[in-house]
Amino acid sequence: MDSESGLPIEPVYGPGAPAGWDPAVALGEPGGFPYTRGVYPTMYTSRPWTMRQYAGFGTAAESNRRYHQLIEAGTAGLSVAFDLPTQMGYDSDAKMAYGEVGKVGVAIDSIEDMRVLFDGIPLDQVSTSMTINAPAAVLLLLYQLVAEEQGVASDKLTGTVQNDILKEYIARGTYIFPPKPSLRMVADTFRYCRDEIPRWNTISISGYHMAEAGATPVQEIAFTLANAKEYVRAAVESGLDVDSFAPRLSFFFVARTTLLEEVAKFRAARRIWAHIMRDEFGAKNPKSQMLRFHTQTAGVQLTAQQPEVNMVRVAIQALGAVLGGTQSLHTNSYDEAIALPTEKAARLALRTQQVIANESDLTRTVDPFAGSYAVESMTDDIEEATRALIGQVEEFGGAVNAIEKGFQKAEIERSAYRTALEIDNAERVVVGVNKFRTDADEPYEPLRVDPAIGEAQAAKLAKLREERDGAEVSRRLDELRALAEKEGAQAEGGDVSAGHANLLYPLREALRARATVGEVCDALRDVWGVYVPPDAY
């Protein structure tokens, strides 16, 4: 029987498995190199992981109400979902946004929407993760400006902006600009946060979306770590010292129902990253060598058939994340395969984590699978296969070159096709879909988004443009375009450590003047153009 990654799983493991295994080299101590056993010495014995629930739909006001409900239910961190137009850098009144406003997340067009989104939420007391990539810097700056209005100093802000543009070219498709200017924005965000928002995690390098597109566990971590190497190279080449930014790098992975392989995957990923940062990039700060990650349970494994069974799937997936040593966790709601989660389903998803943390004994010891013949063997197997696949990416000259050749996308598509065939042929059991089916499912009333949201957002935008200082907005957008054209130019009053002006400073001032998300992204489109994907590899 093979694993999800196509690696053999033996019926029985015993002494000598894995062969030549030395715990001192492979494991170390919890909180010590190579961090196989976890990035902190005490892990959950001193405090549990951050329970972060992902939410965002409709208008900013609707999402704000959901955030207050989650905080009252015990959520320690918020995770914001943005609608598709926002992710693509379009305003809600753009032609490209028609029919999509508020559907898969919250619509954010300007500082006014961001102000409503976090109304009554003290931004110095919550940790906020924002799932946004191509316009990541834009949403981060809006968040900073709203915090400023609340009187919260930027050095008090904590959270993460996903900012992982490379995986968009591989798996999701919500890119705007070509890879090279996009990497410039990533590096500029690293520098900006180092100087302005020092406690912020500047990127969450994501394997989750690749897994949702069909990547195996080995492909998930191999392509994620290959992307991470590209970001580190870009930052170092722009003039940053590796230890000045690497401690703020974070990662984002999936947790599937194949619990043992998932635990092994997380342990292998930590070990590989520790060696990459120390041996390839010369990172000396232990925090630069630590792979800290957020986990979300596998949405792709949820089914619309017999949706209540998803509660069981999510619980198993959450166990895999916790046993694998995640730093924060989002548990999907059982109804997400049908529609946006209802309030009751979202609360139950959070309660799943709270039961694991408070009623199980998993928070009483660190890395309980350490020394397991099976898990240690699987960890070694995944590490070996992952290193080999990273090597293939490097043969192209790195992740960007491989993306431009379509390599990662084609590999994931092949895996996804193979999985689909196995499900269709009932070689892979999916309870309620190809086995243990029922004649009829119980009725379910999904949460629906009001289609009038698009019209309401368009009206707000018209009012905003009428009331603001249009000449000031135009001047700020011209400054942004000019700076985007002058890569390599020396900044005036900005950060020049990389030898060129940091785009986030003029971007911030344009947003402060009430320029919209779409307007600032259009200004950069004017200079950089848009990305056109290559033919299949």
Side-chain angles (χ1 to χ4, degrees):
M1 178 68 180
D2 288 345
S3 71
E4 291 283 298
S5 298
L7 303 172
I9 300 179
E10 302 298 332
V12 178
Y13 291 90
W21 186 71
D22 183 347
V25 174
L27 295 184
E29 296 297 324
F33 191 90
Y35 306 103
T36 311
R37 301 199 63 191
V39 293
Y40 303 122
T42 57
M43 289 301 289
Y44 311 137
T45 62
S46 55
R47 67 182 179 118
W49 59 94
T50 298
M51 299 178 196
R52 193 183 296 281
Q53 287 305 101
Y54 186 51
F57 60 94
T59 65
E62 289 176 298
S63 292
N64 176 264
R65 286 193 289 273
R66 176 61 60 86
Y67 295 155
H68 280 283
Q69 290 165 359
L70 289 170
I71 289 170
E72 289 168 7
T75 295
L78 299 175
S79 187
V80 184
F82 297 95
D83 72 354
L84 195 56
T86 304
Q87 293 180 49
M88 298 292 291
Y90 292 112
D91 288 332
S92 294
D93 60 355
K95 289 182 179 179
M96 290 290 288
Y98 182 77
E100 292 293 337
V101 177
K103 279 200 171 176
V104 299
V106 61
I108 298 294
D109 291 318
S110 72
I111 189 172
E112 294 190 356
D113 289 324
M114 189 67 88
R115 191 180 293 135
V116 172
L117 185 65
F118 290 101
D119 182 47
I121 298 174
L123 297 186
D124 56 345
Q125 297 177 31
V126 298
S127 171
T128 303
S129 173
M130 292 187 278
T131 303
I132 194 73
N133 296 285
V138 181
L139 276 299
L140 173 60
L141 292 169
L142 288 174
Y143 187 84
Q144 183 191 21
L145 290 170
V146 168
E148 185 180 288
E149 291 178 352
Q150 288 188 4
V152 176
S154 294
D155 62 2
K156 302 296 184 187
L157 297 177
T158 60
T160 303
V161 65
Q162 192 161 99
N163 200 25
D164 176 10
I165 193 59
L166 294 182
K167 66 97 173 50
E168 297 298 322
Y169 304 115
I170 294 171
R172 283 192 79 235
T174 58
Y175 44 73
I176 302 175
F177 317 113
K180 289 180 182 176
S182 295
L183 283 176
R184 175 184 173 185
M185 286 289 286
V186 171
D188 279 0
T189 303
F190 288 178
R191 280 194 304 280
Y192 183 86
C193 288
R194 179 198 63 189
D195 297 336
E196 304 284 341
I197 318 177
R199 298 177 65 193
W200 197 266
N201 294 320
T202 51
I203 192 168
S204 177
I205 308 161
S206 175
Y208 180 87
H209 303 94
M210 290 186 264
E212 293 285 281
T216 68
V218 164
Q219 289 173 336
E220 177 194 354
I221 61 172
F223 293 150
T224 302
L225 298 186
N227 286 352
K229 290 177 67 172
E230 197 83 356
Y231 293 127
V232 174
R233 284 194 197 104
V236 170
E237 288 170 3
S238 75
L240 287 174
D241 176 78
V242 66
D243 285 320
S244 74
F245 67 88
R248 305 312 304 171
L249 301 180
S250 65
F251 293 80
F252 176 23
F253 294 118
V254 77
R256 302 169 179 82
T257 52
T258 44
L259 187 147
L260 294 180
E261 186 176 14
E262 292 300 285
V263 172
K265 176 193 77 178
F266 295 132
R267 299 169 87 251
R270 275 195 296 269
R271 193 155 72 205
I272 295 167
W273 185 243
H275 281 283
I276 286 172
M277 291 305 290
R278 187 191 70 176
D279 302 339
E280 296 184 33
F281 291 104
K284 296 179 175 59
N285 186 342
K287 291 184 178 180
S288 299
Q289 302 164 3
M290 296 177 184
L291 185 143
R292 297 171 303 110
F293 64 95
H294 169 70
T295 308
Q296 182 172 338
T297 55
V300 74
Q301 290 187 320
L302 303 184
T303 64
Q305 300 91 336
Q306 301 181 37
E308 292 84 357
V309 177
N310 292 329
M311 300 182 207
V312 182
R313 294 187 177 102
V314 169
I316 294 171
Q317 293 162 355
L319 284 172
V322 171
L323 289 165
T326 192
Q327 275 59 70
S328 65
L329 177 61
H330 164 79
T331 33
N332 289 325
S333 301
Y334 73 88
D335 53 358
E336 287 188 42
I338 304 170
L340 289 167
T342 60
E343 179 185 344
K344 180 179 180 180
R347 185 171 59 247
L348 179 61
L350 176 61
R351 294 288 184 255
T352 302
Q353 294 195 54
Q354 292 168 334
V355 168
I356 294 172
N358 295 284
E359 296 188 24
S360 80
D361 55 5
L362 294 185
T363 59
R364 297 180 188 175
T365 188
V366 177
D367 191 24
F369 273 127
S372 159
Y373 299 128
V375 170
E376 298 297 359
S377 295
M378 294 173 74
T379 301
D380 281 7
D381 289 346
I382 289 173
E383 179 181 6
E384 181 180 0
T386 299
R387 287 186 179 277
L389 189 51
I390 292 173
Q392 287 185 261
V393 174
E394 292 295 294
E395 288 174 6
F396 283 93
V400 169
N401 288 342
I403 287 167
E404 290 174 344
K405 296 292 185 182
F407 172 68
Q408 300 98 316
K409 188 172 185 290
E411 291 293 302
I412 291 171
E413 286 172 350
R414 275 192 281 271
S415 297
Y417 180 66
R418 184 172 60 248
T419 298
L421 283 181
E422 290 173 357
I423 292 172
D424 288 346
N425 296 330
E427 297 169 10
R428 178 190 296 254
V429 173
V430 180
V431 173
V433 175
N434 60 15
K435 198 171 184 180
F436 311 114
R437 290 179 291 196
T438 57
D439 293 333
D441 291 325
E442 295 180 9
Y444 172 81
E445 184 59 37
L447 179 67
R448 301 188 186 280
V449 174
D450 186 350
I453 287 173
E455 296 175 8
Q457 285 294 115
K460 284 177 61 179
L461 281 165
K463 185 171 185 289
L464 169 75
R465 293 187 179 113
E466 182 180 337
E467 293 176 347
R468 72 189 183 184
D469 185 338
E472 172 70 1
V473 171
S474 295
R475 184 173 72 83
R476 294 297 185 181
L477 292 175
D478 287 342
E479 289 176 353
L480 179 62
R481 288 188 192 93
L483 211 53
E485 289 173 344
K486 294 180 180 179
E487 185 168 6
Q490 293 296 307
E492 293 183 8
D495 184 337
V496 297
S497 63
H500 67 263
N502 192 319
L503 284 165
L504 270 71
Y505 289 96
L507 185 55
R508 182 184 67 192
E509 297 314 307
L511 295 168
R512 193 194 301 276
R514 300 167 82 192
T516 68
V517 171
E519 287 166 345
V520 296
C521 289
D522 283 345
L524 295 174
R525 284 185 183 97
D526 292 342
V527 178
W528 294 338
V530 296
Y531 177 69
V532 178
D535 293 333
Y537 171 72

